[in-house]
Amino acid sequence: MAKDHFTSSGLTTPQMMAEALKYRNEFEMKFVELVDIVDIVEFRLVERFPRFRLLIKHDSEMAEEAIAEPLKDRITVRSSVYQAACDGNPEARLVLAHELGHFLLHREKDVLMHKDHRGAVQNIRDMKATESIEDQADMFARHFLAPPHLAYRHRHEPEHLATLTGVPLRIARGNATMSKWPEVHAIRAMEERSAARDSASRPNTDSIHNEGRV
């Protein structure tokens, strides 16, 4: 299993939702339903972090599905996981989003941060989700790929939400439930207002095309 580590700067679920939305915006994915997570880790990260490298290793060379080493500016992924993510596999997409979370949130940690299907070892007794870097990366991944405004919009159709955002069904169901929390309302409302402003600022291409006709 992956070894977990303590963080004193962990975020609550609503705070992590807002943090994930901030990075969606920075990667120009604010209103994108199906985030291209492979494009982000392979091409977008290096634009923000010029020293960053994504390493793909043969499965025989790695016990873990992926490893993030923020201080060394690299993420290493098993080739089978990388290929599955390229093919749109929801679990593999979640792995890459998890490592992206480590890379962005835990840059002060000079430790290997792993992701594998067996989860993490809670080495510190009674460690909370806000204190575990693995739980924090999990939280980031799920809300980065399926943000609260989308989860709420499709809260009655988690299967559709899963397909729309490319996440496992269990993640879609959990996010749909969390999107209804009272403390999440302000986050959803902010995104809805932002989307409305963005829509209003876009030129009406149909009108432009019609005006050009004689």
Side-chain angles (χ1 to χ4, degrees):
M1 285 189 178
K3 183 178 179 180
D4 207 347
H5 297 277
F6 176 84
T7 178
S8 60
S9 56
L11 304 176
T12 64
T13 294
Q15 290 171 334
M16 187 63 79
M17 288 177 175
E19 190 75 359
L21 287 169
K22 179 190 80 173
Y23 281 111
R24 281 176 64 96
N25 186 38
E26 291 186 11
F27 287 117
E28 299 179 343
M29 298 282 175
K30 189 170 186 177
F31 302 116
V32 174
E33 293 176 338
L34 184 62
V35 167
D36 190 343
I37 189 65
V38 175
D39 179 73
I40 289 175
V41 298
E42 191 159 11
F43 302 110
R44 302 290 188 93
L45 267 183
V46 75
E47 294 174 358
R48 291 172 50 87
F49 303 93
R51 292 169 53 87
F52 173 76
R53 294 294 179 268
L54 174 66
L55 305 179
I56 312 299
K57 288 192 174 183
H58 292 296
D59 287 13
S60 60
E61 299 179 85
M62 292 187 66
E64 304 82 5
E65 292 179 331
I67 299 172
E69 298 173 276
L71 286 184
K72 294 181 180 179
D73 284 309
R74 68 189 182 197
I75 291 174
T76 307
V77 184
R78 296 181 75 178
S79 59
S80 61
V81 173
Y82 172 77
Q83 187 57 56
C86 290
D87 293 338
N89 178 276
E91 294 290 351
R93 284 170 48 80
L94 196 66
V95 169
L96 293 191
H98 176 100
E99 300 307 330
L100 176 65
H102 277 315
F103 189 84
L104 296 173
L105 301 175
H106 305 134
R107 296 193 59 76
E108 82 286 358
K109 294 289 184 182
D110 188 16
V111 294
L112 290 178
M113 287 170 261
H114 305 173
K115 177 64 177 176
D116 64 48
H117 66 280
R118 296 167 297 175
V121 177
Q122 298 288 50
N123 286 350
I124 303 175
R125 187 176 182 181
D126 298 326
M127 187 156 59
K128 301 175 183 177
T130 53
E131 299 170 334
S132 159
I133 64 170
E134 293 302 326
D135 285 347
Q136 290 281 290
D138 280 344
M139 290 166 63
F140 176 89
R142 70 187 303 150
H143 297 303
F144 185 80
L145 295 178
H149 60 285
L150 285 179
Y152 187 77
R153 186 182 307 164
H154 303 288
R155 62 193 181 279
H156 300 306
E157 300 175 299
E159 293 84 1
H160 179 64
L161 175 64
T163 300
L164 189 72
T165 59
V167 299
L169 182 56
R170 71 180 188 283
I171 298 296
R173 285 172 171 160
N175 283 22
T177 297
M178 286 184 276
S179 74
K180 295 182 283 186
W181 292 355
E183 58 267 39
V184 178
H185 173 77
I187 299 172
R188 294 198 327 264
M190 178 181 66
E191 286 304 296
E192 289 164 1
R193 288 194 298 270
S194 179
R197 288 195 300 270
D198 182 73
S199 178
S201 66
R202 294 175 186 168
N204 188 326
T205 54
D206 290 339
S207 298
I208 293 173
H209 292 159
N210 289 335
E211 288 172 3
R213 294 174 183 169
V214 178

